[in-house]
Amino acid sequence: MITTATFLFISGGEIFFILLIVVMVFGAKNVPEIARGLGKGMRQIKDATNDIKTEITKSAERNGLDTSITDGVNEELKKVKDDLEEFTGSVRRKL
């Protein structure tokens, strides 16, 4: 059985085709600028999400709500993330 790596259910050939279309439409000179803009936008969304989480947590603490359940969830997420990093570390290609 032969399997190929997929990213968001898109195969390597489809990613290549999409990149080819992007280069043809926007030009090779504009692609890095577009990627930079997308990266900045994603960073702003991440920062806004973290700000919202912080505000919700602060508000819950001020109103006397129990936020200790999130600590347990965060610990479990950290364990899963560490296990995933340990697993993918041996799979990743060394640069």
Side-chain angles (χ1 to χ4, degrees):
M1 174 187 241
I2 298 174
T3 60
T4 59
T6 59
F7 179 74
L8 297 175
F9 307 109
I10 300 175
S11 69
E14 292 167 338
I15 291 173
F16 177 75
F17 183 72
I18 291 169
L19 289 174
L20 181 68
I21 297 298
V22 167
V23 169
M24 287 179 10
V25 170
F26 296 109
K29 292 181 182 179
N30 295 333
V31 172
E33 190 175 312
I34 293 168
R36 222 175 286 121
L38 287 173
K40 286 180 182 178
M42 290 174 64
R43 181 65 188 182
Q44 288 176 345
I45 290 172
K46 183 178 179 182
D47 290 343
T49 304
N50 288 336
D51 289 343
I52 291 170
K53 286 180 189 177
T54 303
E55 287 299 318
I56 290 172
T57 305
K58 285 181 182 178
S59 176
E61 289 173 355
R62 274 184 269 151
N63 292 323
L65 297 175
D66 184 20
T67 59
S68 62
I69 191 168
T70 59
D71 296 336
V73 172
N74 286 334
E75 287 178 23
E76 290 299 318
L77 286 174
K78 187 176 184 312
K79 287 179 188 176
V80 170
K81 187 186 258 186
D82 290 342
D83 289 344
L84 186 62
E85 283 294 323
E86 182 180 316
F87 175 73
T88 59
S90 62
V91 177
R92 286 188 186 161
R93 206 177 339 164
K94 305 285 184 199
L95 296 176

